[in-house]
Amino acid sequence: VGASPAASASGMAGAADGGPSGGIPGAIEALAAGLGVECRAASPFNLFAYGYGGQDDHGWGCAYRCLQMLADHAARHEGTAAAPASIRELQEHLVSVGVLSESQVGSRDWIEPSHARAFLAARAGLGERAVYEEILELNVDQEAKLAAFASLLWEHFGSAKSPVMIDDSIKAYVIGASRLKDVAAGPLPDNMQVLLFDPHVAALPTEEKPLGAAGSAVQWREFRGVFVKEAK
């Protein structure tokens, strides 16, 4: 959702321009405008997705891409160093903070939210507020967990203005905003939608599949649809 100097008239930066695969000026504002709902959003940051920088990280790099989004936000708004341009550089930084071994530099090993938390804490002091790891399955306390997490996200975007990384033990995503369908009902699971930044979707939005549409790299999703996982 951050502005890109190479953005075209359609509001997208091309993958070949050397920038992140999808610098999207004003995306949150555009998607929230005119909807008649209350929206709370992070301040601008760039989308990072599979394939950025010529790295083939399909199937294993989503958490690295989420970390790049959080680091990009920190660089823009917290005065920290710019987001590392490559996964290898991220791995080198993770070695320096003691959460990866040197033998993992250049590997396709997954990272977890705990790695992202350590990176952000070391570089920007943002670890605890920027990363959440909440695995929800169908069980007796699911509704209580869902309600608590919906309230947490709503409160977070009301104050911190930083994006949130989430992980379901298989895939990682970033949430850039939350909105209520009925303001009077409050931040309940069935009344909330989240703006999901999906690093697994490398293709830029097109006229046929615009920003925010189903299948787009950035789209509004029902809160329950994102966080409720089928029981195994």
Side-chain angles (χ1 to χ4, degrees):
V1 294
S4 166
S8 68
S10 65
M12 294 302 304
D17 65 16
S21 55
I24 309 171
I28 285 179
E29 293 83 353
L31 288 170
L35 296 172
V37 294
E38 184 173 353
C39 177
R40 294 181 177 180
S43 43
F45 62 96
N46 268 321
L47 167 71
F48 287 76
Y50 281 164
Y52 166 58
Q55 170 100 53
D56 181 8
D57 57 316
H58 291 74
W60 59 272
C62 60
Y64 289 104
R65 300 310 187 181
C66 290
L67 177 50
Q68 285 178 312
M69 287 187 252
L70 298 186
D72 181 76
H73 181 275
R76 289 167 178 267
H77 305 289
E78 306 286 346
T80 66
S86 70
I87 288 178
R88 185 182 183 90
E89 287 179 76
L90 275 179
Q91 291 172 332
E92 291 170 347
H93 282 286
L94 291 168
V95 170
S96 73
V97 299
V99 293
L100 280 188
S101 66
E102 291 187 7
S103 65
Q104 291 175 287
V105 175
S107 74
R108 295 190 172 196
D109 291 350
W110 291 11
I111 60 170
E112 304 294 339
S114 58
H115 296 91
R117 183 180 296 112
F119 177 94
L120 292 166
R123 287 181 47 123
L126 301 177
E128 291 306 314
R129 82 179 195 199
V131 182
Y132 296 90
E133 184 173 17
E134 185 73 7
I135 302 171
L136 300 173
E137 297 181 356
L138 299 178
N139 53 44
V140 293
D141 63 346
Q142 174 191 325
E143 287 304 315
K145 287 183 178 181
L146 282 173
F149 197 50
S151 179
L152 177 66
L153 279 178
W154 189 244
E155 292 173 4
H156 173 87
F157 286 119
S159 58
K161 299 301 181 185
S162 57
V164 170
M165 177 181 173
I166 62 170
D167 181 271
D168 65 5
S169 79
I170 298 175
K171 293 182 177 181
Y173 306 90
V174 165
I175 295 176
S178 59
R179 72 183 185 189
L180 305 181
K181 294 183 283 186
D182 178 355
V183 175
L188 300 174
D190 289 324
N191 189 44
M192 181 180 287
Q193 295 176 325
V194 294
L195 190 61
L196 200 70
F197 287 69
D198 188 350
H200 310 88
V201 181
L204 300 181
T206 63
E207 187 173 338
E208 294 76 24
K209 189 178 289 185
L211 184 70
S216 169
V218 184
Q219 59 177 291
W220 286 107
R221 294 274 302 277
E222 294 294 326
F223 177 89
R224 188 177 292 275
V226 172
F227 291 104
V228 174
K229 306 301 176 184
E230 294 297 328
K232 296 179 176 60

